[in-house]
Short mmCIF file of all heavy atoms in Angstrom, two decimals:
data_model
loop_
_atom_site.label_atom_id
_atom_site.label_comp_id
_atom_site.label_asym_id
_atom_site.label_seq_id
_atom_site.Cartn_x
_atom_site.Cartn_y
_atom_site.Cartn_z
N ILE A 28 55.06 -36.11 -67.40
CA ILE A 28 54.55 -35.64 -66.10
C ILE A 28 54.87 -34.15 -66.07
O ILE A 28 56.11 -33.85 -66.03
CB ILE A 28 55.09 -36.42 -64.90
CG1 ILE A 28 54.93 -37.89 -65.10
CG2 ILE A 28 54.43 -35.93 -63.64
CD1 ILE A 28 53.54 -38.42 -65.19
N ILE A 29 53.91 -33.29 -65.99
CA ILE A 29 54.19 -31.84 -66.06
C ILE A 29 53.47 -31.07 -65.01
O ILE A 29 52.57 -31.63 -64.26
CB ILE A 29 53.78 -31.28 -67.41
CG1 ILE A 29 52.26 -31.33 -67.67
CG2 ILE A 29 54.56 -31.95 -68.58
CD1 ILE A 29 51.79 -30.63 -68.87
N LYS A 30 53.77 -29.83 -64.78
CA LYS A 30 53.09 -28.97 -63.84
C LYS A 30 51.73 -28.63 -64.41
O LYS A 30 51.56 -28.37 -65.63
CB LYS A 30 53.89 -27.69 -63.63
CG LYS A 30 55.21 -27.90 -62.90
CD LYS A 30 55.92 -26.60 -62.74
CE LYS A 30 57.20 -26.87 -61.89
NZ LYS A 30 57.95 -25.64 -61.68
N PRO A 31 50.68 -28.58 -63.60
CA PRO A 31 49.33 -28.33 -64.13
C PRO A 31 49.13 -27.02 -64.87
O PRO A 31 48.43 -27.01 -65.88
CB PRO A 31 48.48 -28.35 -62.85
CG PRO A 31 49.22 -29.18 -61.84
CD PRO A 31 50.68 -28.91 -62.17
N PHE A 32 49.82 -26.01 -64.45
CA PHE A 32 49.62 -24.66 -65.10
C PHE A 32 50.30 -24.60 -66.49
O PHE A 32 50.12 -23.64 -67.20
CB PHE A 32 50.11 -23.51 -64.21
CG PHE A 32 51.57 -23.46 -63.97
CD1 PHE A 32 52.39 -22.76 -64.81
CD2 PHE A 32 52.11 -24.12 -62.84
CE1 PHE A 32 53.76 -22.67 -64.57
CE2 PHE A 32 53.48 -24.04 -62.61
CZ PHE A 32 54.30 -23.31 -63.47
N LYS A 33 51.11 -25.64 -66.87
CA LYS A 33 51.74 -25.66 -68.15
C LYS A 33 50.97 -26.51 -69.18
O LYS A 33 51.38 -26.58 -70.33
CB LYS A 33 53.15 -26.27 -67.97
CG LYS A 33 54.12 -25.35 -67.30
CD LYS A 33 54.47 -24.21 -68.20
CE LYS A 33 55.72 -23.51 -67.72
NZ LYS A 33 56.21 -22.54 -68.77
N LEU A 34 49.81 -27.05 -68.85
CA LEU A 34 49.09 -27.93 -69.72
C LEU A 34 48.78 -27.24 -71.02
O LEU A 34 48.95 -27.78 -72.14
CB LEU A 34 47.83 -28.46 -69.05
CG LEU A 34 46.94 -29.35 -69.89
CD1 LEU A 34 47.69 -30.52 -70.46
CD2 LEU A 34 45.67 -29.78 -69.16
N ASP A 35 48.16 -26.03 -70.96
CA ASP A 35 47.76 -25.38 -72.20
C ASP A 35 48.93 -25.07 -73.16
O ASP A 35 48.84 -25.27 -74.37
CB ASP A 35 46.97 -24.09 -71.94
CG ASP A 35 45.63 -24.34 -71.41
OD1 ASP A 35 45.04 -25.40 -71.71
OD2 ASP A 35 45.07 -23.45 -70.72
N GLU A 36 50.07 -24.68 -72.55
CA GLU A 36 51.28 -24.39 -73.33
C GLU A 36 51.79 -25.69 -74.02
O GLU A 36 52.14 -25.65 -75.21
CB GLU A 36 52.36 -23.80 -72.45
CG GLU A 36 52.06 -22.42 -72.00
CD GLU A 36 53.15 -21.88 -71.08
OE1 GLU A 36 54.32 -22.03 -71.39
OE2 GLU A 36 52.73 -21.33 -70.00
N VAL A 37 51.75 -26.79 -73.30
CA VAL A 37 52.26 -28.04 -73.85
C VAL A 37 51.30 -28.55 -74.96
O VAL A 37 51.74 -28.96 -75.98
CB VAL A 37 52.39 -29.13 -72.74
CG1 VAL A 37 52.70 -30.49 -73.32
CG2 VAL A 37 53.54 -28.75 -71.77
N ARG A 38 50.03 -28.43 -74.70
CA ARG A 38 49.03 -28.85 -75.77
C ARG A 38 49.20 -28.05 -77.03
O ARG A 38 49.21 -28.57 -78.16
CB ARG A 38 47.63 -28.66 -75.17
CG ARG A 38 46.55 -29.21 -76.13
CD ARG A 38 45.11 -28.83 -75.72
NE ARG A 38 44.97 -27.44 -75.46
CZ ARG A 38 44.83 -26.43 -76.34
NH1 ARG A 38 44.83 -26.75 -77.62
NH2 ARG A 38 44.66 -25.18 -75.98
N GLU A 39 49.37 -26.75 -76.91
CA GLU A 39 49.59 -25.89 -78.04
C GLU A 39 50.91 -26.26 -78.74
O GLU A 39 50.93 -26.27 -80.02
CB GLU A 39 49.60 -24.39 -77.68
CG GLU A 39 48.20 -23.92 -77.27
CD GLU A 39 48.23 -22.50 -76.74
OE1 GLU A 39 49.25 -21.80 -76.94
OE2 GLU A 39 47.24 -22.11 -76.10
N ALA A 40 51.93 -26.51 -78.04
CA ALA A 40 53.23 -26.85 -78.64
C ALA A 40 53.12 -28.18 -79.38
O ALA A 40 53.65 -28.34 -80.50
CB ALA A 40 54.23 -26.97 -77.57
N LEU A 41 52.42 -29.13 -78.82
CA LEU A 41 52.20 -30.41 -79.49
C LEU A 41 51.35 -30.23 -80.76
O LEU A 41 51.63 -30.80 -81.83
CB LEU A 41 51.56 -31.45 -78.56
CG LEU A 41 52.46 -31.98 -77.49
CD1 LEU A 41 51.65 -32.78 -76.47
CD2 LEU A 41 53.57 -32.87 -78.06
N SER A 42 50.35 -29.40 -80.70
CA SER A 42 49.50 -29.16 -81.81
C SER A 42 50.29 -28.47 -82.96
O SER A 42 50.13 -28.83 -84.16
CB SER A 42 48.34 -28.23 -81.45
OG SER A 42 47.54 -27.94 -82.52
N ASP A 43 51.25 -27.59 -82.58
CA ASP A 43 52.08 -26.95 -83.52
C ASP A 43 52.97 -27.91 -84.35
O ASP A 43 53.38 -27.58 -85.49
CB ASP A 43 52.97 -25.85 -82.88
CG ASP A 43 52.17 -24.67 -82.42
OD1 ASP A 43 50.98 -24.50 -82.82
OD2 ASP A 43 52.71 -23.87 -81.62
N VAL A 44 53.35 -29.05 -83.74
CA VAL A 44 54.20 -30.04 -84.44
C VAL A 44 53.33 -31.15 -85.04
O VAL A 44 53.90 -32.16 -85.46
CB VAL A 44 55.31 -30.60 -83.54
CG1 VAL A 44 56.28 -29.52 -83.15
CG2 VAL A 44 54.78 -31.32 -82.33
N GLY A 45 51.99 -31.00 -85.07
CA GLY A 45 51.17 -31.97 -85.75
C GLY A 45 50.60 -33.08 -84.92
O GLY A 45 49.97 -34.05 -85.42
N ILE A 46 50.69 -32.99 -83.60
CA ILE A 46 50.12 -34.04 -82.68
C ILE A 46 48.72 -33.58 -82.41
O ILE A 46 48.50 -32.59 -81.82
CB ILE A 46 50.93 -34.16 -81.37
CG1 ILE A 46 52.43 -34.42 -81.62
CG2 ILE A 46 50.33 -35.27 -80.51
CD1 ILE A 46 52.77 -35.60 -82.44
N THR A 47 47.72 -34.40 -82.80
CA THR A 47 46.31 -33.99 -82.73
C THR A 47 45.55 -34.64 -81.57
O THR A 47 44.57 -34.18 -81.17
CB THR A 47 45.58 -34.29 -84.05
OG1 THR A 47 45.73 -35.69 -84.32
CG2 THR A 47 46.16 -33.47 -85.16
N GLY A 48 46.07 -35.75 -81.06
CA GLY A 48 45.36 -36.44 -80.01
C GLY A 48 46.18 -36.69 -78.79
O GLY A 48 47.42 -37.04 -78.93
N LEU A 49 45.69 -36.55 -77.65
CA LEU A 49 46.39 -36.86 -76.44
C LEU A 49 45.41 -37.20 -75.29
O LEU A 49 44.23 -36.87 -75.38
CB LEU A 49 47.31 -35.71 -76.02
CG LEU A 49 46.69 -34.35 -75.76
CD1 LEU A 49 46.45 -34.11 -74.28
CD2 LEU A 49 47.70 -33.27 -76.27
N THR A 50 45.91 -37.84 -74.26
CA THR A 50 45.15 -38.16 -73.09
C THR A 50 45.79 -37.43 -71.92
O THR A 50 46.98 -37.39 -71.76
CB THR A 50 45.17 -39.66 -72.84
OG1 THR A 50 44.62 -40.36 -73.95
CG2 THR A 50 44.33 -40.02 -71.57
N VAL A 51 44.92 -36.82 -71.08
CA VAL A 51 45.40 -36.01 -69.93
C VAL A 51 44.77 -36.63 -68.69
O VAL A 51 43.56 -36.92 -68.65
CB VAL A 51 45.00 -34.55 -70.12
CG1 VAL A 51 45.39 -33.77 -68.80
CG2 VAL A 51 45.64 -33.94 -71.31
N THR A 52 45.62 -36.87 -67.67
CA THR A 52 45.17 -37.40 -66.42
C THR A 52 45.71 -36.55 -65.25
O THR A 52 46.93 -36.18 -65.29
CB THR A 52 45.69 -38.83 -66.22
OG1 THR A 52 45.37 -39.61 -67.37
CG2 THR A 52 45.07 -39.52 -64.99
N GLU A 53 44.90 -36.22 -64.33
CA GLU A 53 45.37 -35.54 -63.10
C GLU A 53 45.99 -36.56 -62.19
O GLU A 53 45.33 -37.63 -61.82
CB GLU A 53 44.25 -34.79 -62.37
CG GLU A 53 43.71 -33.62 -63.17
CD GLU A 53 42.62 -32.88 -62.46
OE1 GLU A 53 42.40 -33.15 -61.24
OE2 GLU A 53 41.94 -32.10 -63.12
N VAL A 54 47.24 -36.42 -61.82
CA VAL A 54 47.94 -37.33 -60.93
C VAL A 54 48.61 -36.55 -59.80
O VAL A 54 48.60 -35.37 -59.76
CB VAL A 54 49.02 -38.14 -61.72
CG1 VAL A 54 48.35 -38.97 -62.77
CG2 VAL A 54 50.08 -37.18 -62.34
#
């Protein structure tokens, strides 16, 4: 559960460690 404005940074960080798929939900 993260702050909305941090989504792109988190996605890029996950991509950098080889995580290619994720699901995102607004809560």
Side-chain angles (χ1 to χ4, degrees):
I28 308 297
I29 65 170
K30 293 180 176 182
F32 67 89
K33 289 288 197 169
L34 176 59
D35 286 337
E36 291 176 47
V37 171
R38 185 190 50 79
E39 288 174 16
L41 287 170
S42 179
D43 290 346
V44 295
I46 307 300
T47 56
L49 58 96
T50 300
V51 175
T52 310
E53 292 181 12
V54 296

